[in-house]
């Protein structure tokens, strides 16, 4: 488990390199992640990530809305 601050500082720059590489080859780049990543979604969009696969809905801060 990583804090959002740690993720942004140490992981996100490297993830962006992979996203950019995939896009250079004309590919979509998806991330498979187990756990609550809700607070990181804006960062993922900012680096150009094309989508997420199987985000866990039963984790902290990932509850289904009543609407």
């Amino acid at each position: 488990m990583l804090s959002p601050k740690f993720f942004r500082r140490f992981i996100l720059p490297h993830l962006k390199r992979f996203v950019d590489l995939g896009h250079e080859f004309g590919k979509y780049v998806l991330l498979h992640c187990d756990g609550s990543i809700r607070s990181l979604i804006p960062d993922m969009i900012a680096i150009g990530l094309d989508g997420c696969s199987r985000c866990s809905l039963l984790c902290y801060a990932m509850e289904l809305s009543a609407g």
Side-chain angles (χ1 to χ4, degrees):
M1 294 176 41
L2 305 172
S3 72
K5 182 179 177 180
F6 183 94
F7 182 87
R8 289 179 183 117
R9 180 169 179 196
F10 295 104
I11 306 299
L12 199 63
H14 299 287
L15 182 57
K16 182 178 180 343
R17 289 178 36 216
F18 282 111
V19 170
D20 291 344
L21 181 64
H23 290 165
E24 286 178 24
F25 284 91
K27 303 296 181 183
Y28 292 112
V29 181
L30 304 176
L31 176 71
H32 175 91
C33 186
D34 292 320
S36 176
I37 62 164
R38 179 176 284 167
S39 65
L40 300 173
I41 290 174
D43 299 301
M44 306 280 189
I45 292 169
I47 65 165
L49 189 71
D50 297 302
C52 283
S53 127
R54 195 179 176 271
C55 294
S56 300
L57 296 176
L58 299 177
C59 294
Y60 174 75
M62 295 291 287
E63 296 83 9
L64 295 173
S65 67

